[in-house]
Amino acid sequence: MEGEGGEGGAGGRKISLLIEKATNSTAQEVDPRLFKAIKQVVRSSDDQVRFSVDALMEKMKKNHSQVRYLTLLIIDELFMRSKLFRSLMVVNFDQFLSLSIGFRSNLPLPPPASIASRLRLKGIEFLEKWNDSFGLHYRQLRLGFDYLKNTLKFQFPNRMENAVRLQRERLEREARAKEILIGKFQTLTNSFPLIKNEIESTIHEIGECVRIVHPEEDTHRPASLVNDESAEEFRSSSLMQIRLAALREGEKLQENSENKAVFDMLRELYKLLVSRHLPVVQDWTSVLVRVEPADTKTRDSLLKEFIDIRNNLLSLKKRCERLGLSVNIFANEEDEDIWEEGKVEVYDNETTGKFDKHGGDISLTKVEKTLIENSESECCKAKAPRRDTLEHADDSSDSIRMKKKLLSEAPVVSWGSYLDNWGTKRDALANQRGLELESHWGRVDHDAVIPAEKIAELNVQASVYKEHLGEIQPCLAPLANGSLCQRRDLKICPFHGPIIARDEEGNPINENLSTGEESEEEAISQTADFDVDDELDLQKVAEKLAKQAVKNVRTRDNEEEKKQKALKKAKVRAHNEAVLKKAAVASTSRSEAIIEDVEMAKSKKTLASMLKKKVTRKDRIAEKLLNSRVTDTAIRQLRQGEEASYRENYPNQW
Amino acid sequence: MWKEVGDREAGRIRPRSFASRIRSHRVASLQLSNRKDIVTPHRGAVNSLQVDLTEGRYLLSGASDGSAAVYDVQCPTDYEGAGLVAKHRHLFVVDKQVEYGHKYAISSAIWYPIDTGLFVTGSFDHYINVWDTNTTQVVINFKMPGKVYRTAMSSLATSHMLIAAGTEDVQVRLCDISSGAFTHTLSGHRDGIMSMDWSTSSEWVLVTGGCDGAIRFWDIRRAGSFLVLDQSQTQFGRRPPLLEKTFMKGLETRALSSGQSSANGRATQKKTNSGSGVKHLSSSRYLRKGAQRLHPGMMSSHSRATAHYGAVTGLKVTADGMYLLSAGSDSRLRLWDIESGCNTLVNFGAMRLQTGKPIQLAVSDDSALIYVPCMTSIKALEMWSGRTSMTFRGHYESVNCCWFSPQDQELYTGSNDRQILVWSPSVSYSEEVDDGNRKEQISVVPPPPHLGRRSVLWRLGFFVEFREIETCKPFNFCLEGLEEFRRIQF
């Protein structure tokens, strides 16, 4: 017996130690490894289950919500697994409930409040779960659940009912959808002939139009084909291909004044086909696929018809596209009145090379810009001497390229009166405005001259500062809560210093290196563009690299120096603090203990630190405003004010 | 268990002791019953519970919402969870909607002791109603001067049909059902009367406990109380200190009464004890207070002795009529020797009792255990050692009343959380017995009501055997399945 008792005691100590360790943490979850260990120990024997119940209930009595919360998690785990555990737990179930849910007003849950509320929610959730799964076997569970639900009117999450309700709702929704589909199907069966007629008439019309245009083509084709066949024997394959492509180009119907009406008609019809009939057919097909009507036969037949129609339409569409209709349509759709096509084509050879990646209308605006820049750059010629020299290059293609380059680089100058005297170096007569002001204000000097320098001074181009309207980059420095700082400042974030490039986690990408590389790259690209001498370029690069290296070394040295300084400072500060603390502690032993506590708290987030209430601004203000002295004076002042006003209003009443 | 059956068969133990052994075994294994749910229709605290005294089958409950309900505790109305949980729903409920129904809380609901045709409810609306069980209508009502705290009827009475009523008023009133009038008013208390009980040894003796802390004994045939219990008059244990003069007589009477009461049911007591109780009570009184020369009727009416500090909230006379158990708002439980009128000084340990409401105590039929509502739990205390033998936890609010059903060895408790809980012996006491190669499951289950008290079911494998509880002789058997028991006709 003794041996057994000793063994039991040891076992009990082990499980209670494990539980102690598991619940002594500030985490949201129980450490899974400890969890596993507890489960393993508990599984080993019934005695262990008994010990664990005792230890867990002991923990539940702790005056700390965090401990209780973690204990509750362990209890739930064991409760769902062990029958013995359940039967032991339910014996004292009311106490357990009052400790976990805190339904008794004289035994509220202990601090911290946030975890206490979580504990309550979890407790309620678990109670419901247990009641659902084991309620039938344990009267105490039923009683507790019933009491909390029907007497105290606690809100339970209602898992089961919720699931059932969701299921029901889903079924209802599906049924409704089905009904709608069937309704659609009914209407379709009624209106099918109409739709079919409409589509067929369109198809027919398109066919007619094509036939009208086609005969012209027919005259060309045989000849070309004959040509082809005869040419085949002696031409190489590449040439052959070129030829075929040309032929295909030629085959394309060209719109001209004769068949313009037909083409317009064809375009209209095509539009109708693409924008209306095709989607309609698509829709109905999908409806037919989804619907499950009573008579599947009609459904199948309809589906077949629709698929046929769809194939028909698609083939027709392809044909139309081969006629070159689609491009025209899109052009027409997008910019009907802004730009005429002809104008675009004028600049096409210049712009397409550069802007072809943009969409149609964007390229147009670009073209517009280039136009303006063109005119301006001619005004600006004097200002850009380097370009001036370059402009005189003989090679026309070269000059065009140069021009393009310049245009892309040229600054856009806003229009102003200063442009009147752009580049002139003449003096201006001051009183030559044609108005005779004879001796009104004294003598007038008609030959007064404003010197050229003065004019230049007056006509200095005034430019209003325009804010750069690009998107301001967020700071993206990592915050304490794990997210990134979303503050947008131009250069310096008031919290995180200068805005620098950062990676996804908010760590700064080494600025120095990257910029160096960039500038190098830039230099290289520039040199490449300007076709400057290679050797010179190499030298430059070498120079730059050397500079960079020197810079790097220097910054490293600086950093080390700084570090050492900071270390020194920290040492001094620590020494000062220690001296001050010693002086303070010397007074009482109690303060010493407090300081130790504080140090402990500082070093690690502990259970005790969770209990400490955070002093908020509100608290501080309340402390200032709600103490008795302040309230008394406030009341006194108010009363005085009232009395004064009363005396003023009723001076004669005693 | 099995050994006992063998002994009984061999005649080594007496039938009566065999039965009491089984009973005490069952009583010791009481726990919250999962199989038996009483579903209450009450929307308020359950204040009073009583199982009828004739059949032991119908439970009457009175609640704070002015409703009283009756349940059949033997036959469930429906089952839940594939027969795992038997639900006992109310057979009927009377509440405010019924004509002359109580407007306010029912504080006490008791059965007419002779049969289940009548029941009596006392309420805070100053009325005592007598109801006909079959029509669920009020037959007679009595208007009281104040809130009714407790009503009681003598279970032994053969010559009167009196309801004793304790109210806010200082007087105890006796209401006669047969005439519909008050027959007596018993005055002597200085404050309202919270608890009362009739003696189980004499039909004329009534015990009342008042808010003034006094417990008074009344002989309803005379004026005034004849005994006031004083907590300072004490004796140790069961036996009173032997006085020279009473030595012989005391020994005699005690031997007589203990012999009668220990195992006999109430029925036998009724026949033999009814007359003698008062006589020797009064004789002992004369002997004790012989020195005083007062008119016998007024003897103790001026006594200001108290049994408790504060109100006496619960009174219960043991089934043998020898001892009185009282609970007070001072959170004390006292056991009194009725004969000597002394506090027996049993230390029931520290506990907390409800102070504002009358509580209903229960005593097991062999007077070994006392069931006391202690706030949210019920404690089973051993009567003579005062030790707590069990604590029943299950209620979520204060327990008001408990009732021990001696027939089924079940405990019913009612509480402020509106629940009536059943505490029953852990079902089907079973042992595995090696009988040759075969293992037999043998168990004793409580017999269905219509078989009467004299039967016990033995379950042997699939067969169920019925045996006389007294002689242990088998008299029938059938296949297992409780439904089948009911269909068998005997």
Side-chain angles (χ1 to χ4, degrees):
Chain A
M1 281 300 280
E2 270 180 17
E4 240 182 71
E7 209 180 352
R13 218 172 305 130
K14 190 178 175 193
I15 184 80
S16 65
L17 259 177
L18 275 174
I19 287 169
E20 167 89 46
K21 215 183 227 174
T23 54
N24 188 15
S25 115
T26 56
Q28 299 288 322
E29 299 280 332
V30 180
D31 183 8
R33 277 187 308 129
L34 280 171
F35 227 141
K36 215 172 201 175
I38 289 172
K39 273 188 238 170
Q40 206 164 13
V41 171
V42 167
R43 206 180 293 132
S44 64
S45 79
D46 285 358
D47 278 340
Q48 296 294 346
V49 177
R50 289 198 185 91
F51 291 131
S52 72
V53 170
D54 289 344
L56 286 170
M57 277 313 281
E58 206 55 46
K59 283 282 159 205
M60 279 308 283
K61 286 173 194 157
K62 278 271 157 36
N63 218 8
H64 195 301
S65 280
Q66 173 70 13
V67 178
R68 288 194 191 181
Y69 180 73
L70 293 177
T71 314
L72 183 69
L73 293 180
I74 301 175
I75 286 178
D76 174 53
E77 237 4 77
L78 298 179
F79 197 93
M80 297 301 284
R81 281 167 174 71
S82 161
K83 187 182 175 190
L84 180 65
F85 187 86
R86 282 197 290 276
S87 54
L88 290 172
M89 273 308 288
V90 294
V91 171
N92 226 346
F93 203 64
D94 60 331
Q95 193 189 13
F96 167 73
L97 281 189
S98 78
L99 290 174
S100 63
I101 297 173
F103 63 86
R104 289 196 204 286
S105 53
N106 57 345
L107 284 172
L109 292 180
S114 60
I115 297 173
S117 66
R118 200 187 308 142
L119 171 68
R120 176 175 298 120
L121 284 180
K122 208 74 179 169
I124 288 172
E125 191 191 315
F126 284 157
L127 177 60
E128 194 189 25
K129 188 170 77 178
W130 297 345
N131 185 52
D132 284 344
S133 32
F134 306 112
L136 222 48
H137 303 277
Y138 300 95
R139 178 88 171 105
Q140 288 91 338
L141 272 179
R142 266 177 291 157
L143 272 177
F145 182 73
D146 188 59
Y147 178 69
L148 291 183
K149 191 172 185 184
N150 297 328
T151 307
L152 297 185
K153 310 283 182 201
F154 269 70
Q155 281 296 317
F156 281 87
N158 249 342
R159 266 184 330 133
M160 295 266 268
E161 269 180 39
N162 272 345
V164 170
R165 196 168 40 104
L166 281 179
Q167 174 81 9
R168 207 179 46 226
E169 271 173 15
R170 215 186 58 220
L171 284 179
E172 270 173 21
R173 221 178 310 127
E174 274 171 12
R176 226 175 304 132
K178 216 175 255 178
E179 231 169 67
I180 291 169
L181 272 180
I182 287 186
K184 269 187 184 171
F185 179 66
Q186 296 293 351
T187 54
L188 178 65
T189 45
N190 294 333
S191 63
F192 177 68
L194 248 169
I195 295 170
K196 200 181 172 189
N197 270 345
E198 208 178 324
I199 293 174
E200 268 177 358
S201 73
T202 313
I203 292 173
H204 181 74
E205 278 169 35
I206 290 179
E208 286 294 312
C209 287
V210 170
R211 207 170 315 130
I212 292 171
V213 189
H214 229 70
E216 298 174 10
E217 215 182 324
D218 285 341
T219 54
H220 291 290
R221 193 173 266 174
S224 63
L225 275 176
V226 168
N227 264 351
D228 261 2
E229 276 164 17
S230 58
E232 210 171 2
E233 293 155 10
F234 52 87
R235 271 172 202 169
S236 68
S237 63
S238 60
L239 279 175
M240 175 69 199
Q241 262 173 3
I242 293 167
R243 169 105 182 114
L244 272 177
L247 273 176
R248 230 174 278 137
E249 272 303 302
E251 251 173 57
K252 262 193 187 173
L253 279 178
Q254 290 302 319
E255 192 180 340
N256 49 36
S257 53
E258 286 167 24
N259 57 11
K260 190 166 189 296
V262 181
F263 261 90
D264 281 346
M265 184 69 193
L266 207 51
R267 226 172 272 138
E268 281 292 309
L269 287 172
Y270 176 76
K271 211 170 169 182
L272 191 70
L273 185 81
V274 172
S275 62
R276 200 149 135 243
H277 292 323
L278 257 182
V280 163
V281 171
Q282 213 93 336
D283 281 354
W284 285 122
T285 334
S286 76
V287 167
L288 283 174
V289 167
R290 276 181 295 155
V291 81
E292 281 169 15
D295 53 338
T296 46
K297 217 182 237 175
T298 47
R299 203 256 322 246
D300 288 347
S301 66
L302 275 180
L303 194 57
K304 211 177 270 172
E305 294 242 26
F306 265 116
I307 290 170
D308 284 349
I309 291 173
R310 186 162 157 269
N311 289 341
N312 218 342
L313 284 182
L314 282 178
S315 67
L316 199 62
K317 190 183 161 207
K318 218 173 258 170
R319 233 169 108 198
C320 285
E321 270 160 18
R322 237 185 294 137
L323 286 176
L325 280 172
S326 61
V327 186
N328 287 348
I329 274 180
F330 285 122
N332 282 350
E333 268 178 12
E334 280 181 26
D335 39 47
E336 279 181 331
D337 49 3
I338 307 170
W339 284 97
E340 289 166 47
E341 283 178 355
K343 269 204 169 173
V344 180
E345 276 165 6
V346 172
Y347 293 95
D348 238 10
N349 49 358
E350 269 187 36
T351 53
T352 42
K354 192 155 188 179
F355 300 115
D356 56 357
K357 62 182 171 221
H358 299 292
D361 68 342
I362 298 170
S363 73
L364 287 181
T365 50
K366 284 274 178 185
V367 170
E368 189 182 10
K369 244 184 214 165
T370 45
L371 256 175
I372 295 159
E373 277 172 21
N374 225 350
S375 60
E376 270 171 8
S377 65
E378 256 147 57
C379 304
C380 300
K381 264 176 207 161
K383 228 189 166 187
R386 192 167 57 116
R387 272 176 233 165
D388 232 355
T389 53
L390 280 168
E391 214 173 50
H392 294 300
D394 333 18
D395 199 338
S396 64
S397 68
D398 230 31
S399 77
I400 286 170
R401 211 183 55 176
M402 219 58 229
K403 202 173 169 189
K404 232 175 10 184
K405 178 94 202 142
L406 287 174
L407 282 179
S408 69
E409 279 181 1
V412 180
V413 182
S414 63
W415 186 86
S417 58
Y418 64 90
L419 289 176
D420 293 348
N421 302 1
W422 185 278
T424 53
K425 285 188 175 176
R426 283 185 290 126
D427 299 348
L429 287 170
N431 290 327
Q432 288 289 324
R433 288 286 182 266
L435 189 66
E436 293 289 322
L437 298 169
E438 198 58 56
S439 304
H440 273 288
W441 305 96
R443 252 167 22 93
V444 176
D445 179 11
H446 290 285
D447 302 321
V449 162
I450 303 171
E453 298 92 71
K454 199 80 180 173
I455 285 173
E457 213 173 284
L458 286 172
N459 275 333
V460 164
Q461 179 194 354
S463 61
V464 180
Y465 172 69
K466 263 191 218 156
E467 211 173 327
H468 173 64
L469 281 176
E471 204 186 357
I472 298 169
Q473 290 305 312
C475 165
L476 292 182
L479 292 177
N481 63 1
S483 60
L484 299 178
C485 175
Q486 292 300 324
R487 221 190 127 86
R488 283 164 196 270
D489 292 288
L490 264 184
K491 282 186 177 158
I492 295 175
C493 172
F495 302 114
H496 306 101
I499 291 163
I500 44 176
R502 289 170 193 271
D503 61 8
E504 282 162 18
E505 280 154 25
N507 300 322
I509 302 161
N510 197 346
E511 189 72 331
N512 272 343
L513 251 177
S514 63
T515 47
E517 276 168 12
E518 266 174 31
S519 61
E520 272 170 31
E521 270 174 16
E522 255 174 49
I524 288 165
S525 63
Q526 270 174 16
T527 47
D529 277 350
F530 280 101
D531 262 350
V532 186
D533 202 355
D534 278 3
E535 281 176 31
L536 216 148
D537 195 47
L538 273 176
Q539 264 182 2
K540 260 188 193 171
V541 170
E543 246 172 59
K544 250 181 200 171
L545 280 175
K547 260 185 200 169
Q548 185 63 42
V550 169
K551 213 181 186 179
N552 282 348
V553 169
R554 268 188 199 151
T555 48
R556 220 171 290 145
D557 283 354
N558 276 344
E559 268 168 21
E560 255 171 45
E561 229 168 87
K562 265 184 198 168
K563 256 185 210 164
Q564 270 181 350
K565 264 185 192 170
L567 263 176
K568 222 177 195 177
K569 264 188 188 170
K571 252 186 202 168
V572 170
R573 212 175 290 143
H575 176 73
N576 285 348
E577 248 173 43
V579 168
L580 281 175
K581 215 183 279 172
K582 241 183 224 167
V585 167
S587 54
T588 53
S589 59
R590 203 155 136 221
S591 59
E592 194 169 19
I594 288 169
I595 281 171
E596 263 169 31
D597 273 3
V598 168
E599 273 180 353
M600 283 282 286
K602 248 188 217 167
S603 62
K604 201 185 159 197
K605 199 187 172 197
T606 58
L607 287 174
S609 72
M610 291 175 85
L611 285 179
K612 236 169 259 166
K613 212 184 160 210
K614 208 177 162 192
V615 180
T616 60
R617 266 169 250 161
K618 199 178 156 192
D619 291 336
R620 285 197 296 272
I621 293 170
E623 201 185 327
K624 286 219 162 158
L625 292 184
L626 296 180
N627 68 22
S628 59
R629 201 165 50 82
V630 173
T631 48
D632 283 352
T633 47
I635 288 167
R636 206 168 52 231
Q637 276 170 1
L638 283 175
R639 202 171 291 152
Q640 268 177 0
E642 264 173 32
E643 268 173 28
S645 68
Y646 181 80
R647 256 181 250 139
E648 239 167 57
N649 290 334
Y650 308 100
N652 296 328
Q653 292 177 1
W654 305 100
Chain B
M1 179 72 207
W2 189 237
K3 183 174 162 292
E4 276 166 9
V5 174
D7 285 352
R8 177 71 207 101
E9 272 179 343
R12 273 194 287 272
I13 49 173
R14 309 280 302 164
R16 205 163 283 164
S17 71
F18 172 64
S20 70
R21 267 187 217 184
I22 291 179
R23 280 210 198 93
S24 59
H25 213 106
R26 281 167 64 79
V27 169
S29 68
L30 280 189
Q31 63 180 35
L32 185 61
S33 168
N34 184 46
R35 304 278 178 95
K36 217 168 184 178
D37 265 16
I38 292 183
V39 184
T40 61
H42 302 308
R43 284 189 298 278
V46 179
N47 287 329
S48 174
L49 282 177
Q50 192 181 20
V51 178
D52 73 307
L53 303 171
T54 43
E55 284 181 81
R57 179 171 175 183
Y58 298 106
L59 177 71
L60 172 68
S61 69
S64 290
D65 61 345
S67 64
V70 171
Y71 317 85
D72 186 345
V73 292
Q74 307 279 10
C75 298
T77 49
D78 56 334
Y79 291 92
E80 196 177 79
L84 196 64
V85 180
K87 296 258 181 196
H88 297 260
R89 292 183 197 281
H90 56 275
L91 301 179
F92 65 85
V93 60
V94 291
D95 53 16
K96 291 172 194 170
Q97 269 77 46
V98 184
E99 200 181 3
Y100 304 119
H102 290 298
K103 282 209 264 312
Y104 303 140
I106 289 178
S107 54
S108 154
I110 53 168
W111 284 106
Y112 179 59
I114 311 301
D115 60 43
T116 51
L118 289 176
F119 64 92
V120 181
T121 56
S123 159
F124 281 6
D125 64 358
H126 301 193
Y127 277 98
I128 291 177
N129 285 358
V130 180
W131 302 79
D132 185 334
T133 316
N134 294 311
T135 60
T136 65
Q137 293 298 320
V138 177
V139 186
I140 317 168
N141 60 6
F142 300 93
K143 172 91 167 88
M144 290 287 145
K147 287 180 190 171
V148 180
Y149 285 130
R150 188 57 82 201
T151 56
M153 289 189 84
S154 171
S155 57
L156 312 172
T158 52
S159 58
H160 69 78
M161 296 172 80
L162 295 175
I163 306 166
T167 63
E168 274 183 322
D169 193 43
V170 292
Q171 290 172 327
V172 181
R173 276 155 208 266
L174 300 178
C175 317
D176 192 354
I177 299 176
S178 54
S179 69
F182 300 121
T183 56
H184 295 41
T185 50
L186 306 171
S187 42
H189 280 291
R190 291 179 172 76
D191 204 344
I193 290 116
M194 257 205 173
S195 55
M196 56 175 37
D197 201 2
W198 287 86
S199 162
T200 48
S201 57
S202 163
E203 61 173 316
W204 311 110
V205 174
L206 176 70
V207 191
T208 59
C211 294
D212 54 354
I215 297 173
R216 285 171 182 268
F217 281 71
W218 314 84
D219 184 338
I220 59 168
R221 293 167 302 185
R222 309 165 186 243
S225 59
F226 67 86
L227 179 61
V228 182
L229 297 182
D230 188 349
Q231 54 185 330
S232 58
Q233 275 195 19
T234 57
Q235 70 181 38
F236 282 109
R238 270 172 215 262
R239 307 286 176 196
L242 297 177
L243 295 170
E244 299 90 308
K245 286 178 192 171
T246 55
F247 179 65
M248 289 309 292
K249 197 164 188 173
L251 209 67
E252 229 179 274
T253 51
R254 207 144 297 115
L256 190 74
S257 60
S258 64
Q260 281 166 349
S261 58
S262 62
N264 277 16
R266 257 188 329 280
T268 51
Q269 263 185 16
K270 211 183 270 178
K271 288 167 208 151
T272 56
N273 266 17
S274 54
S276 66
V278 177
K279 211 165 123 196
H280 71 242
L281 274 172
S282 54
S283 68
S284 70
R285 174 174 51 86
Y286 278 120
L287 288 166
R288 196 160 40 76
K289 301 194 172 178
Q292 294 171 331
R293 287 276 170 164
L294 260 171
H295 187 275
M298 301 305 288
M299 193 93 123
S300 53
S301 57
H302 294 304
S303 166
R304 283 168 174 274
T306 55
H308 284 276
Y309 300 109
V312 179
T313 51
L315 281 177
K316 181 78 186 172
V317 182
T318 56
D320 54 15
M322 290 173 71
Y323 301 98
L324 172 72
L325 204 67
S326 71
S329 58
D330 53 356
S331 284
R332 292 295 152 83
L333 208 61
R334 297 213 161 91
L335 182 66
W336 307 84
D337 188 329
I338 292 177
E339 198 176 316
S340 65
C342 288
N343 183 357
T344 54
L345 290 178
V346 178
N347 177 19
F348 288 105
M351 61 178 97
R352 268 184 79 205
L353 300 180
Q354 221 181 339
T355 54
K357 257 182 165 178
I359 56 173
Q360 195 182 321
L361 311 169
V363 178
S364 69
D365 57 340
D366 56 351
S367 298
L369 289 173
I370 310 164
Y371 299 100
V372 186
C374 298
M375 303 313 282
T376 62
S377 64
I378 300 103
K379 275 188 177 168
L381 304 163
E382 284 171 18
M383 190 181 267
W384 288 109
S385 66
R387 217 159 46 79
T388 307
S389 75
M390 271 180 283
T391 305
F392 302 114
R393 303 174 145 279
H395 283 294
Y396 283 83
E397 275 170 42
S398 299
V399 183
N400 296 317
C401 50
C402 46
W403 181 265
F404 183 78
S405 161
Q407 183 187 318
D408 300 329
Q409 291 93 38
E410 276 182 342
L411 182 72
Y412 305 99
T413 57
S415 144
N416 279 347
D417 61 7
R418 307 179 303 170
Q419 297 285 347
I420 298 173
L421 296 189
V422 185
W423 307 83
S424 56
S426 37
V427 192
S428 67
Y429 178 88
S430 64
E431 273 178 83
E432 281 185 46
V433 179
D434 259 332
D435 186 17
N437 294 332
R438 198 160 55 98
K439 271 195 174 180
E440 271 185 337
Q441 187 82 18
I442 294 172
S443 59
V444 180
V445 296
H450 66 269
L451 291 181
R453 295 182 202 182
R454 306 180 76 80
S455 58
V456 153
L457 309 178
W458 301 103
R459 190 178 290 155
L460 298 149
F462 291 110
F463 287 96
V464 177
E465 208 176 350
F466 295 84
R467 298 192 186 202
E468 297 248 359
I469 200 162
E470 311 290 347
T471 60
C472 214
K473 237 193 257 164
F475 62 88
N476 208 329
F477 72 90
C478 71
L479 279 171
E480 197 174 8
L482 209 67
E483 288 304 313
E484 241 167 324
F485 298 167
R486 289 213 188 87
R487 271 183 256 121
I488 299 168
Q489 298 293 319
F490 290 93

